[in-house]
């Protein structure tokens, strides 16, 4: 087997040698090239061999060793989080058993004044498809009307949309709901700037707690009844985070893939972080904050596109605790178009990278948190879960593995190629058992998206031009119910479905897979060819819902 691999691996060099032989054979009759050209070709071949042996092979071997270490780091993190999450379920360490959360009841003397004032913020930007859903859900929340303020923060630039949102707020105002429709002159700071501006209004100062929902989120009427008591009875808690539930998970393959990733995030990562050190990254919506914690932490910052994580990290370093209640679910919408999903993932990868760069020393020097919490934040929350995982997923499967086809000197351990990725995949699949049959497609999809996330992560670290780019994720709302989501809309132009980087890497993978099949006996093409197909599928945007511009 080894002999066959070596023989196949030297096929390309033999072909070059045959070419040089032809040149030499024809030198005498001068029918092909002159001796000088043959000497140049031979010197180039010798130079390539030297560069290959002395530079490329050692570098690639070092890359293999690095990927071995990173794969172990990622697997250990997945196992660790999985064990913690499982232990929480087995030991029944539910938030209701760890924290007092008795329902807030109306006092006979105080009346509704026994309920704390709650501010509900809904930031939006040209949300024509979903604004009625979010505003309606917020106004239907079960809470005394005189103790609730619904604040719609409209950054819309479309005059028609602004008028529709304003009319919706006025409609609910006539029904007795205290709805505040707020706008501002520009979109400075994007969502963070919008929320910061909303907190400056005088009526906010009388609100003890702040619930936040993005424009596509629809909380159940009992959301405040189930979340606010945690904050009322536990002064050390700053945040109650609920779980997301997706109304469009079955729309297409793209939304099914996202559901698998998001379910793992909420069922494992968020629950483990809360259980380990009462800290996790705020998801930016479907949560309730103690306003005091927001003020003490310095309020909203627009220095990165991860304003939610920024606030949570600053509050956590001040000693505030968070609680994640997975039994409370809030309906939301997953991006149905690949364009929307790519822009969302760019923001979610670029923002944390830039935030880690800006706050690394602040985390190390924090005096109000334990060394264990600092270690968790730096190593698990940032390095293992975001940096190491993203780099390993992209570099190993999309760069190193196909390159090894052309370098038989490289030896990739079987356990790194098969066993570790399989274990990581199975650990990720526990969040969505109903989609276990899609696990291979999910792995291929995540490997391709790792390219996009890695690029965004580099932009964040380097603070490049798109480091603070904010593109609002497109929502479709009821549009999908009115149009077929199976057929590709003809109005979608071809140039808008053409992603060069994915297509280039897909072509590289295809070439390496074909070469491996023809000249090698290690069967790497079994891993590389499907990945190439997925790169082409995403490069030509043959995934997700296509809608008119």
């Amino acid at each position: 087997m080894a002999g066959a691999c070596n023989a196949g691996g030297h096929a390309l060099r033999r072909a070059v040698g045959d070419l040089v032989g032809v040149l030499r054979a024809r030198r005498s009759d001068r029918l092909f090239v002159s001796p000088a050209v043959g000497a140049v070709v031979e010197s180039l071949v010798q130079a390539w061999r030297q560069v290959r042996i002395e530079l490329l092979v050692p570098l690639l071997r070092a890359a293999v060793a690095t990927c071995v270490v990173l794969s172990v780091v990622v697997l250990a993190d997945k196992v660790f989080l999985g064990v913690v999450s499982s232990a929480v379920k087995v030991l029944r360490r539910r938030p209701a058993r760890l924290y007092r959360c008795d329902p807030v009841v109306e006092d006979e003397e105080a009346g509704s004044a026994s309920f704390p004032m709650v501010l509900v913020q809904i930031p939006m930007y040209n949300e024509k498809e979903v604004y009625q859903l979010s505003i309606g859900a917020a106004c239907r929340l079960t809470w005394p009307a005189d103790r609730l303020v619904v604040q719609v923060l409209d950054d819309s630039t479309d005059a028609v949309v602004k008028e529709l949102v304003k009319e919706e707020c006025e409609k609910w105002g006539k029904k007795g709901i205290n709805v505040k429709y707020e706008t501002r002159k520009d979109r400075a700071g994007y969502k963070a700037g919008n929320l910061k501006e909303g907190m400056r209004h005088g009526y906010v100062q009388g609100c003890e707690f702040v619930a936040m929902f993005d424009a596509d989120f629809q909380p159940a009427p009992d959301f405040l009844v189930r979340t606010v008591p945690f904050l009322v009875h536990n002064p050390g808690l700053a945040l109650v985070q609920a779980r997301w539930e997706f109304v469009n998970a079955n729309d297409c393959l793209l939304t099914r893939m996202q559901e698998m990733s998001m379910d793992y995030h909420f069922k494992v990562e968020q629950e483990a972080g809360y259980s380990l050190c009462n800290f996790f990254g705020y998801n930016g919506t479907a949560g309730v904050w103690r306003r005091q914690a927001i003020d003490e932490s310095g309020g909203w910052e627009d220095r990165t596109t991860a304003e939610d994580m920024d606030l949570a990290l600053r509050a956590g370093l001040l000693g505030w605790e968070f609680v994640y209640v997975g039994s409370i679910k809030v309906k939301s919408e997953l991006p149905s178009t690949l364009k929307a999903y790519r822009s969302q993932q760019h923001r979610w990868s670029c923002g944390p990278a830039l935030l880690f760069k800006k706050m690394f020393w602040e985390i190390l020097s924090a005096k109000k948190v334990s060394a264990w919490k600092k270690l968790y934040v730096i190593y698990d929350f940032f390095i293992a879960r975001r940096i190491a995982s993203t780099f390993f997923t992209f570099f190993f499967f999309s760069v190193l593995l196909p390159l090894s086809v052309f370098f038989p000197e490289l030896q990739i351990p079987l356990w790194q190629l098969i066993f570790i990725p399989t274990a990581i995949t199975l650990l990720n699949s526990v969040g969505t058992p109903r989609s276990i049959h899609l696990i291979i497609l999910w792995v291929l999809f995540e490997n391709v998206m790792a390219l996009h996330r890695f690029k965004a992560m580099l932009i964040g670290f380097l603070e490049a031009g798109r480091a603070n780019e904010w593109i609002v994720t497109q929502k479709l709302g009821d549009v999908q119910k009115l149009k077929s989501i199976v057929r590709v809309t003809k109005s979608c132009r071809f140039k808008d479905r053409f992603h060069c980087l994915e297509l280039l890497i897909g072509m590289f993978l295809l070439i390496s897979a074909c070469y491996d099949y023809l000249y090698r006996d290690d069967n790497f093409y079994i891993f590389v060819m499907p990945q190439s197909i997925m790169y082409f599928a995403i490069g030509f945007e043959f995934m997700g819902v296509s809608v008119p511009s």
Side-chain angles (χ1 to χ4, degrees), residues 66-82 264 269 379-380 383-394 397 420-421 423-425 427-428:
T66 301
C67 284
V68 168
V69 174
L70 291 178
S71 65
V72 173
V73 168
V74 174
L75 177 60
D77 179 63
K78 297 293 183 184
V79 172
F80 177 64
L81 295 178
Y264 175 81
E269 291 179 340
Y379 175 76
D380 186 273
I383 295 178
R385 200 184 306 176
R386 288 171 173 81
I387 300 174
S389 178
T390 300
F391 177 78
F392 167 73
T393 303
F394 162 66
F397 292 102
I420 286 186
I424 293 174
T425 299
L427 289 170
N428 273 290

mmCIF file of all heavy atoms in Angstrom, residues 66-82 264 269 379-380 383-394 397 420-421 423-425 427-428:
data_model
loop_
_atom_site.group_PDB
_atom_site.id
_atom_site.type_symbol
_atom_site.label_atom_id
_atom_site.label_comp_id
_atom_site.label_asym_id
_atom_site.label_seq_id
_atom_site.Cartn_x
_atom_site.Cartn_y
_atom_site.Cartn_z
ATOM 1 N N THR A 66 0.074 21.538 13.592
ATOM 2 C CA THR A 66 -0.791 22.580 14.153
ATOM 3 C C THR A 66 -2.247 22.152 14.121
ATOM 4 O O THR A 66 -2.991 22.348 15.095
ATOM 5 C CB THR A 66 -0.613 23.891 13.367
ATOM 6 O OG1 THR A 66 0.750 24.305 13.430
ATOM 7 C CG2 THR A 66 -1.500 24.987 13.942
ATOM 8 N N CYS A 67 -2.666 21.571 13.010
ATOM 9 C CA CYS A 67 -4.050 21.126 12.894
ATOM 10 C C CYS A 67 -4.359 19.978 13.851
ATOM 11 O O CYS A 67 -5.489 19.862 14.340
ATOM 12 C CB CYS A 67 -4.353 20.708 11.455
ATOM 13 S SG CYS A 67 -4.561 22.110 10.329
ATOM 14 N N VAL A 68 -3.366 19.136 14.115
ATOM 15 C CA VAL A 68 -3.555 18.068 15.097
ATOM 16 C C VAL A 68 -3.867 18.677 16.461
ATOM 17 O O VAL A 68 -4.805 18.270 17.156
ATOM 18 C CB VAL A 68 -2.313 17.165 15.172
ATOM 19 C CG1 VAL A 68 -2.396 16.251 16.394
ATOM 20 C CG2 VAL A 68 -2.182 16.324 13.904
ATOM 21 N N VAL A 69 -3.063 19.685 16.841
ATOM 22 C CA VAL A 69 -3.281 20.346 18.130
ATOM 23 C C VAL A 69 -4.643 21.022 18.166
ATOM 24 O O VAL A 69 -5.403 20.896 19.139
ATOM 25 C CB VAL A 69 -2.160 21.366 18.406
ATOM 26 C CG1 VAL A 69 -2.456 22.168 19.671
ATOM 27 C CG2 VAL A 69 -0.817 20.664 18.531
ATOM 28 N N LEU A 70 -4.984 21.754 17.110
ATOM 29 C CA LEU A 70 -6.259 22.477 17.070
ATOM 30 C C LEU A 70 -7.449 21.520 17.095
ATOM 31 O O LEU A 70 -8.473 21.804 17.722
ATOM 32 C CB LEU A 70 -6.326 23.366 15.824
ATOM 33 C CG LEU A 70 -5.384 24.563 15.798
ATOM 34 C CD1 LEU A 70 -5.523 25.328 14.489
ATOM 35 C CD2 LEU A 70 -5.651 25.488 16.970
ATOM 36 N N SER A 71 -7.324 20.390 16.402
ATOM 37 C CA SER A 71 -8.428 19.429 16.393
ATOM 38 C C SER A 71 -8.672 18.867 17.795
ATOM 39 O O SER A 71 -9.825 18.679 18.211
ATOM 40 C CB SER A 71 -8.135 18.286 15.419
ATOM 41 O OG SER A 71 -7.015 17.516 15.846
ATOM 42 N N VAL A 72 -7.591 18.632 18.522
ATOM 43 C CA VAL A 72 -7.725 18.150 19.898
ATOM 44 C C VAL A 72 -8.360 19.228 20.772
ATOM 45 O O VAL A 72 -9.217 18.949 21.620
ATOM 46 C CB VAL A 72 -6.365 17.712 20.457
ATOM 47 C CG1 VAL A 72 -6.478 17.365 21.933
ATOM 48 C CG2 VAL A 72 -5.825 16.521 19.666
ATOM 49 N N VAL A 73 -7.961 20.487 20.562
ATOM 50 C CA VAL A 73 -8.532 21.599 21.322
ATOM 51 C C VAL A 73 -10.037 21.699 21.081
ATOM 52 O O VAL A 73 -10.838 21.829 22.016
ATOM 53 C CB VAL A 73 -7.838 22.922 20.948
ATOM 54 C CG1 VAL A 73 -8.615 24.117 21.498
ATOM 55 C CG2 VAL A 73 -6.410 22.940 21.470
ATOM 56 N N VAL A 74 -10.425 21.641 19.812
ATOM 57 C CA VAL A 74 -11.846 21.760 19.463
ATOM 58 C C VAL A 74 -12.636 20.580 20.024
ATOM 59 O O VAL A 74 -13.722 20.752 20.603
ATOM 60 C CB VAL A 74 -12.024 21.842 17.929
ATOM 61 C CG1 VAL A 74 -13.501 21.813 17.559
ATOM 62 C CG2 VAL A 74 -11.377 23.110 17.391
ATOM 63 N N LEU A 75 -12.100 19.364 19.877
ATOM 64 C CA LEU A 75 -12.800 18.184 20.391
ATOM 65 C C LEU A 75 -12.922 18.254 21.909
ATOM 66 O O LEU A 75 -14.004 17.964 22.468
ATOM 67 C CB LEU A 75 -12.057 16.917 19.984
ATOM 68 C CG LEU A 75 -12.649 15.600 20.528
ATOM 69 C CD1 LEU A 75 -14.087 15.414 20.036
ATOM 70 C CD2 LEU A 75 -11.780 14.416 20.128
ATOM 71 N N ALA A 76 -11.842 18.622 22.599
ATOM 72 C CA ALA A 76 -11.882 18.708 24.058
ATOM 73 C C ALA A 76 -12.920 19.729 24.505
ATOM 74 O O ALA A 76 -13.645 19.506 25.491
ATOM 75 C CB ALA A 76 -10.504 19.083 24.594
ATOM 76 N N ASP A 77 -13.018 20.836 23.783
ATOM 77 C CA ASP A 77 -14.015 21.855 24.128
ATOM 78 C C ASP A 77 -15.427 21.322 23.940
ATOM 79 O O ASP A 77 -16.301 21.532 24.792
ATOM 80 C CB ASP A 77 -13.795 23.091 23.265
ATOM 81 C CG ASP A 77 -14.813 24.175 23.545
ATOM 82 O OD1 ASP A 77 -14.841 24.684 24.684
ATOM 83 O OD2 ASP A 77 -15.595 24.514 22.641
ATOM 84 N N LYS A 78 -15.663 20.619 22.829
ATOM 85 C CA LYS A 78 -16.995 20.056 22.581
ATOM 86 C C LYS A 78 -17.360 19.031 23.650
ATOM 87 O O LYS A 78 -18.505 19.013 24.135
ATOM 88 C CB LYS A 78 -17.028 19.390 21.199
ATOM 89 C CG LYS A 78 -16.799 20.327 20.024
ATOM 90 C CD LYS A 78 -17.915 21.314 19.853
ATOM 91 C CE LYS A 78 -17.690 22.193 18.619
ATOM 92 N NZ LYS A 78 -18.733 23.234 18.479
ATOM 93 N N VAL A 79 -16.411 18.173 24.004
ATOM 94 C CA VAL A 79 -16.669 17.163 25.034
ATOM 95 C C VAL A 79 -16.955 17.837 26.369
ATOM 96 O O VAL A 79 -17.892 17.470 27.089
ATOM 97 C CB VAL A 79 -15.474 16.195 25.156
ATOM 98 C CG1 VAL A 79 -15.654 15.276 26.358
ATOM 99 C CG2 VAL A 79 -15.330 15.371 23.876
ATOM 100 N N PHE A 80 -16.140 18.828 26.700
ATOM 101 C CA PHE A 80 -16.305 19.538 27.972
ATOM 102 C C PHE A 80 -17.685 20.189 28.064
ATOM 103 O O PHE A 80 -18.409 20.020 29.055
ATOM 104 C CB PHE A 80 -15.201 20.577 28.105
ATOM 105 C CG PHE A 80 -15.318 21.425 29.337
ATOM 106 C CD1 PHE A 80 -15.219 20.876 30.598
ATOM 107 C CD2 PHE A 80 -15.524 22.796 29.227
ATOM 108 C CE1 PHE A 80 -15.322 21.660 31.736
ATOM 109 C CE2 PHE A 80 -15.628 23.592 30.352
ATOM 110 C CZ PHE A 80 -15.530 23.017 31.608
ATOM 111 N N LEU A 81 -18.066 20.930 27.028
ATOM 112 C CA LEU A 81 -19.366 21.591 27.034
ATOM 113 C C LEU A 81 -20.501 20.578 27.045
ATOM 114 O O LEU A 81 -21.522 20.772 27.718
ATOM 115 C CB LEU A 81 -19.495 22.510 25.818
ATOM 116 C CG LEU A 81 -18.544 23.710 25.749
ATOM 117 C CD1 LEU A 81 -18.774 24.495 24.460
ATOM 118 C CD2 LEU A 81 -18.723 24.607 26.957
ATOM 119 N N GLY A 82 -20.321 19.480 26.304
ATOM 120 C CA GLY A 82 -21.348 18.447 26.284
ATOM 121 C C GLY A 82 -21.536 17.784 27.631
ATOM 122 O O GLY A 82 -22.670 17.520 28.053
ATOM 123 N N TYR A 264 -27.603 23.768 18.720
ATOM 124 C CA TYR A 264 -26.427 23.386 19.513
ATOM 125 C C TYR A 264 -25.962 24.564 20.359
ATOM 126 O O TYR A 264 -25.609 24.396 21.534
ATOM 127 C CB TYR A 264 -25.293 22.918 18.596
ATOM 128 C CG TYR A 264 -24.014 22.629 19.356
ATOM 129 C CD1 TYR A 264 -23.845 21.419 20.018
ATOM 130 C CD2 TYR A 264 -22.999 23.576 19.425
ATOM 131 C CE1 TYR A 264 -22.683 21.165 20.740
ATOM 132 C CE2 TYR A 264 -21.839 23.321 20.139
ATOM 133 C CZ TYR A 264 -21.688 22.117 20.789
ATOM 134 O OH TYR A 264 -20.546 21.871 21.506
ATOM 135 N N GLU A 269 -23.942 25.308 24.319
ATOM 136 C CA GLU A 269 -23.000 26.378 24.632
ATOM 137 C C GLU A 269 -23.550 27.361 25.660
ATOM 138 O O GLU A 269 -22.878 27.681 26.648
ATOM 139 C CB GLU A 269 -22.619 27.111 23.341
ATOM 140 C CG GLU A 269 -21.781 26.278 22.394
ATOM 141 C CD GLU A 269 -21.429 27.010 21.124
ATOM 142 O OE1 GLU A 269 -22.121 28.003 20.793
ATOM 143 O OE2 GLU A 269 -20.478 26.590 20.446
ATOM 144 N N TYR A 379 -10.162 31.530 27.001
ATOM 145 C CA TYR A 379 -9.853 30.279 26.307
ATOM 146 C C TYR A 379 -11.073 29.665 25.632
ATOM 147 O O TYR A 379 -11.070 29.415 24.422
ATOM 148 C CB TYR A 379 -9.241 29.271 27.284
ATOM 149 C CG TYR A 379 -9.010 27.914 26.646
ATOM 150 C CD1 TYR A 379 -7.946 27.726 25.772
ATOM 151 C CD2 TYR A 379 -9.878 26.841 26.896
ATOM 152 C CE1 TYR A 379 -7.744 26.493 25.167
ATOM 153 C CE2 TYR A 379 -9.671 25.624 26.292
ATOM 154 C CZ TYR A 379 -8.612 25.448 25.427
ATOM 155 O OH TYR A 379 -8.419 24.235 24.825
ATOM 156 N N ASP A 380 -12.125 29.422 26.401
ATOM 157 C CA ASP A 380 -13.273 28.707 25.840
ATOM 158 C C ASP A 380 -14.157 29.613 24.998
ATOM 159 O O ASP A 380 -14.484 29.288 23.854
ATOM 160 C CB ASP A 380 -14.101 28.082 26.966
ATOM 161 C CG ASP A 380 -15.222 27.202 26.432
ATOM 162 O OD1 ASP A 380 -16.322 27.721 26.161
ATOM 163 O OD2 ASP A 380 -14.980 25.996 26.275
ATOM 164 N N ILE A 383 -11.135 31.768 22.248
ATOM 165 C CA ILE A 383 -10.110 31.043 21.493
ATOM 166 C C ILE A 383 -10.620 29.703 20.960
ATOM 167 O O ILE A 383 -10.593 29.454 19.749
ATOM 168 C CB ILE A 383 -8.848 30.848 22.359
ATOM 169 C CG1 ILE A 383 -8.218 32.201 22.683
ATOM 170 C CG2 ILE A 383 -7.847 29.946 21.646
ATOM 171 C CD1 ILE A 383 -6.988 32.121 23.563
ATOM 172 N N ALA A 384 -11.070 28.816 21.840
ATOM 173 C CA ALA A 384 -11.463 27.473 21.402
ATOM 174 C C ALA A 384 -12.705 27.500 20.533
ATOM 175 O O ALA A 384 -12.753 26.871 19.469
ATOM 176 C CB ALA A 384 -11.691 26.578 22.630
ATOM 177 N N ARG A 385 -13.723 28.238 20.977
ATOM 178 C CA ARG A 385 -15.018 28.176 20.304
ATOM 179 C C ARG A 385 -15.077 28.979 19.012
ATOM 180 O O ARG A 385 -15.815 28.621 18.086
ATOM 181 C CB ARG A 385 -16.108 28.653 21.257
ATOM 182 C CG ARG A 385 -17.504 28.196 20.892
ATOM 183 C CD ARG A 385 -18.548 28.779 21.814
ATOM 184 N NE ARG A 385 -18.245 28.505 23.217
ATOM 185 C CZ ARG A 385 -18.987 28.996 24.210
ATOM 186 N NH1 ARG A 385 -20.012 29.780 23.944
ATOM 187 N NH2 ARG A 385 -18.671 28.704 25.458
ATOM 188 N N ARG A 386 -14.309 30.044 18.928
ATOM 189 C CA ARG A 386 -14.400 30.914 17.764
ATOM 190 C C ARG A 386 -13.148 30.899 16.903
ATOM 191 O O ARG A 386 -13.221 30.641 15.707
ATOM 192 C CB ARG A 386 -14.722 32.346 18.219
ATOM 193 C CG ARG A 386 -16.151 32.478 18.709
ATOM 194 C CD ARG A 386 -16.442 33.813 19.364
ATOM 195 N NE ARG A 386 -17.864 33.930 19.660
ATOM 196 C CZ ARG A 386 -18.459 33.396 20.726
ATOM 197 N NH1 ARG A 386 -17.732 32.702 21.601
ATOM 198 N NH2 ARG A 386 -19.754 33.526 20.918
ATOM 199 N N ILE A 387 -11.985 31.127 17.502
ATOM 200 C CA ILE A 387 -10.764 31.236 16.700
ATOM 201 C C ILE A 387 -10.275 29.871 16.249
ATOM 202 O O ILE A 387 -10.120 29.611 15.050
ATOM 203 C CB ILE A 387 -9.685 31.974 17.503
ATOM 204 C CG1 ILE A 387 -10.158 33.380 17.866
ATOM 205 C CG2 ILE A 387 -8.382 32.045 16.700
ATOM 206 C CD1 ILE A 387 -9.217 34.127 18.790
ATOM 207 N N ALA A 388 -10.010 28.974 17.191
ATOM 208 C CA ALA A 388 -9.454 27.660 16.844
ATOM 209 C C ALA A 388 -10.416 26.858 15.985
ATOM 210 O O ALA A 388 -10.016 26.246 14.991
ATOM 211 C CB ALA A 388 -9.118 26.892 18.126
ATOM 212 N N SER A 389 -11.682 26.856 16.340
ATOM 213 C CA SER A 389 -12.663 26.072 15.596
ATOM 214 C C SER A 389 -12.793 26.559 14.160
ATOM 215 O O SER A 389 -12.812 25.760 13.215
ATOM 216 C CB SER A 389 -14.013 26.130 16.306
ATOM 217 O OG SER A 389 -14.985 25.410 15.584
ATOM 218 N N THR A 390 -12.875 27.871 13.972
ATOM 219 C CA THR A 390 -13.025 28.427 12.624
ATOM 220 C C THR A 390 -11.800 28.157 11.770
ATOM 221 O O THR A 390 -11.905 27.713 10.622
ATOM 222 C CB THR A 390 -13.290 29.940 12.707
ATOM 223 O OG1 THR A 390 -14.486 30.168 13.449
ATOM 224 C CG2 THR A 390 -13.438 30.538 11.324
ATOM 225 N N PHE A 391 -10.613 28.413 12.328
ATOM 226 C CA PHE A 391 -9.390 28.215 11.554
ATOM 227 C C PHE A 391 -9.199 26.744 11.197
ATOM 228 O O PHE A 391 -8.888 26.414 10.042
ATOM 229 C CB PHE A 391 -8.181 28.721 12.342
ATOM 230 C CG PHE A 391 -6.871 28.479 11.641
ATOM 231 C CD1 PHE A 391 -6.474 29.293 10.594
ATOM 232 C CD2 PHE A 391 -6.052 27.421 12.004
ATOM 233 C CE1 PHE A 391 -5.275 29.069 9.929
ATOM 234 C CE2 PHE A 391 -4.854 27.184 11.350
ATOM 235 C CZ PHE A 391 -4.463 28.013 10.306
ATOM 236 N N PHE A 392 -9.365 25.852 12.168
ATOM 237 C CA PHE A 392 -9.166 24.430 11.892
ATOM 238 C C PHE A 392 -10.151 23.929 10.839
ATOM 239 O O PHE A 392 -9.771 23.219 9.904
ATOM 240 C CB PHE A 392 -9.333 23.621 13.176
ATOM 241 C CG PHE A 392 -9.463 22.136 12.947
ATOM 242 C CD1 PHE A 392 -8.374 21.388 12.569
ATOM 243 C CD2 PHE A 392 -10.697 21.504 13.077
ATOM 244 C CE1 PHE A 392 -8.485 20.022 12.329
ATOM 245 C CE2 PHE A 392 -10.822 20.147 12.845
ATOM 246 C CZ PHE A 392 -9.717 19.400 12.477
ATOM 247 N N THR A 393 -11.419 24.280 10.983
ATOM 248 C CA THR A 393 -12.435 23.795 10.053
ATOM 249 C C THR A 393 -12.126 24.207 8.625
ATOM 250 O O THR A 393 -12.213 23.402 7.692
ATOM 251 C CB THR A 393 -13.825 24.312 10.458
ATOM 252 O OG1 THR A 393 -14.106 23.900 11.798
ATOM 253 C CG2 THR A 393 -14.894 23.772 9.532
ATOM 254 N N PHE A 394 -11.772 25.466 8.431
ATOM 255 C CA PHE A 394 -11.475 25.932 7.078
ATOM 256 C C PHE A 394 -10.135 25.400 6.574
ATOM 257 O O PHE A 394 -10.056 24.800 5.498
ATOM 258 C CB PHE A 394 -11.476 27.463 7.038
ATOM 259 C CG PHE A 394 -10.781 28.024 5.836
ATOM 260 C CD1 PHE A 394 -11.293 27.823 4.563
ATOM 261 C CD2 PHE A 394 -9.585 28.732 5.962
ATOM 262 C CE1 PHE A 394 -10.643 28.323 3.439
ATOM 263 C CE2 PHE A 394 -8.929 29.231 4.857
ATOM 264 C CZ PHE A 394 -9.457 29.032 3.584
ATOM 265 N N PHE A 397 -9.744 21.198 6.151
ATOM 266 C CA PHE A 397 -10.559 20.515 5.139
ATOM 267 C C PHE A 397 -10.509 21.177 3.766
ATOM 268 O O PHE A 397 -10.711 20.502 2.761
ATOM 269 C CB PHE A 397 -12.013 20.438 5.614
ATOM 270 C CG PHE A 397 -12.210 19.530 6.786
ATOM 271 C CD1 PHE A 397 -12.360 20.046 8.061
ATOM 272 C CD2 PHE A 397 -12.216 18.158 6.625
ATOM 273 C CE1 PHE A 397 -12.531 19.207 9.153
ATOM 274 C CE2 PHE A 397 -12.380 17.312 7.704
ATOM 275 C CZ PHE A 397 -12.537 17.841 8.970
ATOM 276 N N ILE A 420 -11.623 12.180 14.874
ATOM 277 C CA ILE A 420 -11.896 13.449 15.549
ATOM 278 C C ILE A 420 -13.009 14.230 14.863
ATOM 279 O O ILE A 420 -13.956 14.684 15.528
ATOM 280 C CB ILE A 420 -10.613 14.293 15.677
ATOM 281 C CG1 ILE A 420 -9.721 13.693 16.767
ATOM 282 C CG2 ILE A 420 -10.937 15.748 15.995
ATOM 283 C CD1 ILE A 420 -8.499 14.524 17.088
ATOM 284 N N PRO A 421 -12.978 14.417 13.521
ATOM 285 C CA PRO A 421 -14.102 15.110 12.887
ATOM 286 C C PRO A 421 -15.444 14.410 13.106
ATOM 287 O O PRO A 421 -16.472 15.068 13.287
ATOM 288 C CB PRO A 421 -13.722 15.119 11.406
ATOM 289 C CG PRO A 421 -12.234 15.053 11.405
ATOM 290 C CD PRO A 421 -11.887 14.163 12.561
ATOM 291 N N ALA A 423 -16.296 12.576 15.746
ATOM 292 C CA ALA A 423 -16.710 12.831 17.127
ATOM 293 C C ALA A 423 -17.250 14.245 17.286
ATOM 294 O O ALA A 423 -18.290 14.471 17.928
ATOM 295 C CB ALA A 423 -15.534 12.600 18.071
ATOM 296 N N ILE A 424 -16.573 15.229 16.685
ATOM 297 C CA ILE A 424 -17.031 16.619 16.762
ATOM 298 C C ILE A 424 -18.395 16.762 16.111
ATOM 299 O O ILE A 424 -19.296 17.432 16.636
ATOM 300 C CB ILE A 424 -16.004 17.559 16.090
ATOM 301 C CG1 ILE A 424 -14.698 17.581 16.892
ATOM 302 C CG2 ILE A 424 -16.572 18.969 15.954
ATOM 303 C CD1 ILE A 424 -13.580 18.360 16.221
ATOM 304 N N THR A 425 -18.579 16.111 14.971
ATOM 305 C CA THR A 425 -19.849 16.183 14.254
ATOM 306 C C THR A 425 -20.986 15.586 15.075
ATOM 307 O O THR A 425 -22.072 16.170 15.174
ATOM 308 C CB THR A 425 -19.733 15.441 12.912
ATOM 309 O OG1 THR A 425 -18.714 16.058 12.111
ATOM 310 C CG2 THR A 425 -21.053 15.490 12.156
ATOM 311 N N LEU A 427 -21.147 15.267 18.294
ATOM 312 C CA LEU A 427 -21.424 16.115 19.452
ATOM 313 C C LEU A 427 -22.232 17.347 19.054
ATOM 314 O O LEU A 427 -23.062 17.841 19.819
ATOM 315 C CB LEU A 427 -20.116 16.547 20.117
ATOM 316 C CG LEU A 427 -19.360 15.438 20.855
ATOM 317 C CD1 LEU A 427 -17.971 15.908 21.261
ATOM 318 C CD2 LEU A 427 -20.141 15.000 22.089
ATOM 319 N N ASN A 428 -22.013 17.846 17.857
ATOM 320 C CA ASN A 428 -22.782 18.990 17.373
ATOM 321 C C ASN A 428 -24.211 18.622 17.004
ATOM 322 O O ASN A 428 -25.098 19.465 17.032
ATOM 323 C CB ASN A 428 -22.104 19.611 16.144
ATOM 324 C CG ASN A 428 -21.067 20.644 16.512
ATOM 325 O OD1 ASN A 428 -21.378 21.721 16.992
ATOM 326 N ND2 ASN A 428 -19.809 20.301 16.308
#
